[in-house]
Each structure stands twice: as structure tokens, then as C-alpha cells.
Amino acid sequence: MKEALFLSQIRVRLDDGVTFLDFDSPRGARVYRHSAAHILAQAVKRLYPNARLGIGPAIENGFYYDFEFDAPISAAALERIEQEMKEIIGARLPIRRREMSREEAVALFQEKGEPYKLELIADLPADASLSCYEQGDFIDLCAGPHLSDTGQIKAFKLTGLAGAYWRGDERNQMLQRIYGTAYPSQEQLDAYLRLLEEAKKRDHRKLGRELDLFSLHDEGPGFPFLHPHGMVIWQELTDFWRREHRRAGYEEIKTPIILNRSLWEQSGHWDHFRENMYFTRIDDQDYAVKPMNCPGGMLVFRSRMHSYRDLPRRIAEMGLVHRHELSGALHGLTRVRSFTQDDAHIFMLPEQVEPEVGGVIEMVDRFYRIFGFDYRVELSTRPEKAMGSLEMWEKATAILEKVLRDRNIAYRVNHGEGAFYGPKIDFHLMDCLGRSWQCSTIQLDFQMPEKFDLTYIAEDGQKHRPVVIHRVVYGSMERFFALLIEHYGGAFPAWLAPVQVAVIPITERHHPYAAAVFEKLLNASFRATLDDRKEKVGYKIREAQVKKVPYMLVLGDREAEAGLVAVRHREEGDRGACSLADFIAHLNEIVAAKK
RNA sequence: GCCGACGUAGCUCAACGGUAGAGCAGCUGAUUUGUAAUCAGCAGGUUGCGGGUUCGAGUCCCACCGUCGGCUCCA
């Protein structure tokens, strides 16, 4: 084994040669935080000798370690654990790697009473060489590498306590997970904590209340209420969506929310999705509230005969779906129990699959660019609970891969994450905190056409089976709305802003002029307000600023006499006076450009 | 659903087991104001819901509902 290596910030022991790592590289940060996780585990074992160790990896922005305690610990215990960690860091314990045989390792962890470690060892391949890392009175099964001593952790904080199932499986024992983060300096840690504070200010739940966009109530957990200002944004999003889809050759439909059980049996949802569905009875028959829009779409397609000349048919629907989600999973507008999907089903000939999937990819990219979102592409393959033959799945997956490769799109493969009826391409948006959210998805489906016996008449005069794509662009309107709120920090661009212009007369004698300006703005189809309260301009401006109104028109003697408007912009401040016509032209330009 | 935390006025937050308060918002009045908060007054609560302990519960205990951080799931 090579001796410890030194670099400005991190010293790492490696057994495979000399490698320098520093915290700024992703790998260096992982090593650093993984060592912090070991220190956490050591501290916990000192305070709770009976605690059984789970796993303790580094994650994005930090680390965690899972433990099984005799009795659950509470968040208050974290402070005591932090103290103990500081002791361990202060002692500058050297961290040593120990290679051992499987028998040695089993004996070691048996003696230490670590059932989860034994389970991990049992699952390691027979020829794997086992290693442990040791620091003072603590030893842990670990591939490494690690820092050379515990004193190198300069700044850390335990950030949370949560339940987590052993190996992520809800059938397993629930362990307690302690989250933390670590940085090479207190300044960096503080900067990270400040970033979290900033993120809280853009939280869509907070802004949604402050800007009066939407609300959630105990009377309907997970069923959001949209307020007038939220509805304005919603309408702009759907208007834009309709124009783009018409242009791209889509037709729009609307299907019922409640449909008979027989339909859900036919579609396979009864067997594959029942635990997420809501039910009701009508005239002594079972009905279900739709969790997806596809069966309704299938019925529309099937309601008449199709020629191969009719295909592809791109049938879109802003469909309201309801899904029973676990109560603990609900979160603002991003995880709800009822949401609107900007759905579409494309019915096509087998040879149209590639161009159609390509067309959807282009549309998704266009939408995301308008809003300035970065995204990541993922391909999800056959899940355990799947319908259809393996060959069908392989064929469908191969087509999706080909489309992505032909376009040089980088993607990640999620094995076993597909829908039960077909593989899919997902688009994950990165939000302002670096978290990713699934929004757009393109799902290939060879199942529904079979289940619903969909056909078209081909050139040979015979009936053939069309292929179906399910796709969404926004994904869930509610989730996309939430992401937009946080993305813009509530300061929506003019085309989306619930109020685009606040007209602010300085005194009552300017009210008639202000009312005339206001009227003209309404006639120009802008969303404007007239603030004719008996308040000082400063007060009215502050209020408009707080509500994040992009433009304010301040009107006093100077403007009234010259027939001008003094323009104040939300970010840029006082822009000076111009004619109302010029202002309207400017605003029209900004709105049209969606800037 | 599971683990942990939390739930007081519309919002943000106070209140050693001993009479529930403040700021902002709201309402009323005065102020007629030039680019982020004028002043004064008034009103606002069965402390999430239901039990229990206690002479006495916002405070302690139990159950339920909801919210938050995670796990799981997914748009």
C-alpha cells in the first residue's frame, strides 16, 4: 500500500498507485464526505454501542449513514452526535485500510454483531477482495478510498434525520438515516447553508401563498386549488401549448373523468394500477376515476375506421387524472393526487415511430428552451410488472435507443423503470436547487392497440395494428407550474405575469389621467391594475414590487400634462418617461418574445 | 403507508403547567403624497380535532387529521 498522499486540501490513501484528489473534483468530494460518514458512524457507535450499521455513502451535497437503534433516536440527539464527531476529528485518528479474507470479515462482523454488514458481505461476488477501513476504535466494511486521518474534516453539519428502508425496499426493516454535509472550510459550509436558505425563499409553496397563486387545504390533501393569479399563468401555459400543438399537427379532445370498470379491465389498469386508483359506484356498477388518459383516447380512436392515409393521428388532451399517492409522498404542487397531464397519443404505422418520436423530442426541447430549463434524458426499460412479450419490449426499446443515438442525445438507462405497457424516454428538468424532476415523457406502447383491438386499413385492404406513443411535454401542469414558480423565484416574465402593469397615480388629481391610461392598457389586452388608493407612491410601488409586477407606470403632473407615462421596471427601476404608445409597443414586443 | 419533527390571529412568530400576545396584513379616520413601508384608532383566536392526567393544559399523555424532512412511489 502506498503512503498517504498530500494535496492542498485532501490526503487520500489508495492502493492502486499514486493519485491526487482535491475537493473540487466530484470524486474528491465523494471521498471527503464518505470519510465524514465513517466519522458519523464511529460517533454513533460510541454513543450507542448496540446500534447496527447499515450503509453510509456520500451523496450529492453531503452524506448519510443508516443505523438500526434499539429505540429510535430523536432529532435532539444529533447535537450530541455532532459533539462526538468533533472529538473524533480533533483526535486526528489515522484511517487505515485492511484487506482481509471473506472468513476474517465474516468473523469480525459476527463478533461485532453487525447483521447488515454480514448481509452485504454475503452478496459480494465470491472472488471479490474485501477491505475494511479502520480508525481508532471503529472499523467498517468499505471499498474506500478514504482520507488519511479524521482531522482532515474541517467543517461539517448533521442536517437531518429520516427513516429509510434497508436497501430501499419497503418490505425490509426501516432504519434511521442521519444526513449530513461536510466541506473543507467553514466558509464553504456556510455558503452551502446560505444557498439552502435562498432556496427556501423561492419555495413554490411559500411564493404560491404570498403571490396568491394557489392553495392547499386539509379538506383535500393533495388536491390543489388554483387562485385567479395562478389561473392566469395556467391559461398562458395552455394557450402556448395549444398553438404549438396545432402547428405540429395535433388534434385536441376531452374525455370523461369517471369511466366504467370494464374499460379499466380492458386497458390493464385494473390489474396493474389498481392500488393507485379511486373508485365509485353508479347504478350498481363499479366505476373508476381515471388515473391516466389513454383508455379514453383509445375509445376516441376506435370510434371510427382509419385508413393508413389517416396516420399518424396525433390526439392531444389536457386530461385531469387522479392517483392515490401515499400520504407521506405529497408535496406542494409537485406531488399531488390530482393533476392535469398535457397528454397526447400518437396512433401510427410501425415505420412512423422513429420520425414521430423524433418530432416529440424536438417539441420538448423547444418548450424547455423557452423557459430556460436544463434537462437530462433517461431511457427506462422493462419493469418487473410488465405486460407483453420480451421480444416486443426489446424491439420497442431498440427503437427508442436508435432515435436517441441518431440525434446524438446523451442519455442514461434506467433498467426496469419503464411503464407497465412499454419503455419510455424521460426528460428530467434540473431545478434551481439542482434537484431533477421528471416532466416530459415519451412512452412507446404496443399493448393498448392489442387490448383495444385498434386497427387501420392498409394498402393491402386488410386490417393492421397501429402503434401508439403516449407523451407529455409539461408532464403535470401542476408540477411544471411549481417548477416555474421556483425557477423564476416568483418574478414571472411579462408574458406569464398575472399582473403585467401596475398603473400608479401620484395623487387623486391624477386619477382621471391614470384611469384613461389603464383603460387603454386593457384595450390593448394587457393585464393591468389601477392603484387609486389614497397612499403615497412609495407605498404603492413597494406593494407592486413585492407582488413582482414587471412594469409600473407612475403618473403625476408631469406625465398628465405631457401625455406621457413614467415607466418603472421591476428589476431595472426608473426608466424615465415615454409615450403610452411606445410603452405598449415595447410591452407587446417583450410578451411576444416570451422574454 | 413507514421513520422523525411540527401544528397558536390571514401571514411570520411569542407566551416557567396559572388571565393567549406582537409585527405585518385587514377595517375606520386623518394625511394628497414623485419611484420599496405616513400617522392614529379598531377589530381579529373554542391554541388542528377528540379523549385523558391535573385544583388548573397552548404547554404533559394517548389516538386521529394535516403539514414539513426523508424512505417508497411517480407526472
Side-chain angles (χ1 to χ4, degrees), chain A residues 94 265 427 528 577:
Chain A
E265 286 174 340
F427 296 77

Coordinates of all heavy atoms in Angstrom, one line a residue, chain A residues 94 265 427 528 577:
Chain A
P94 N -5.6 8.2 12.6 CA -5.2 7.8 11.2 C -6.3 6.8 10.7 O -6.8 6.0 11.5 CB -3.9 7.1 11.5 CG -3.7 6.9 12.9 CD -4.7 7.9 13.6
E265 N -60.5 -2.7 -16.9 CA -60.0 -4.1 -17.0 C -59.4 -4.4 -18.4 O -58.4 -5.0 -18.5 CB -61.2 -5.1 -16.8 CG -61.6 -5.1 -15.3 CD -62.9 -5.9 -15.0 OE1 -63.7 -6.1 -15.9 OE2 -63.0 -6.3 -13.9
F427 N -37.6 13.0 -19.7 CA -36.8 14.2 -19.6 C -36.9 14.8 -18.2 O -38.0 15.0 -17.7 CB -37.4 15.3 -20.6 CG -37.3 14.8 -22.0 CD1 -38.2 13.9 -22.5 CD2 -36.3 15.3 -22.9 CE1 -38.1 13.4 -23.9 CE2 -36.2 14.9 -24.2 CZ -37.1 13.9 -24.7
A528 N -53.6 44.6 -16.4 CA -53.2 45.8 -15.7 C -54.0 46.0 -14.4 O -55.1 45.5 -14.3 CB -53.3 47.0 -16.6
A577 N -39.6 58.7 -18.8 CA -40.9 58.8 -19.4 C -40.9 58.5 -20.9 O -39.9 58.6 -21.5 CB -41.5 60.2 -19.2

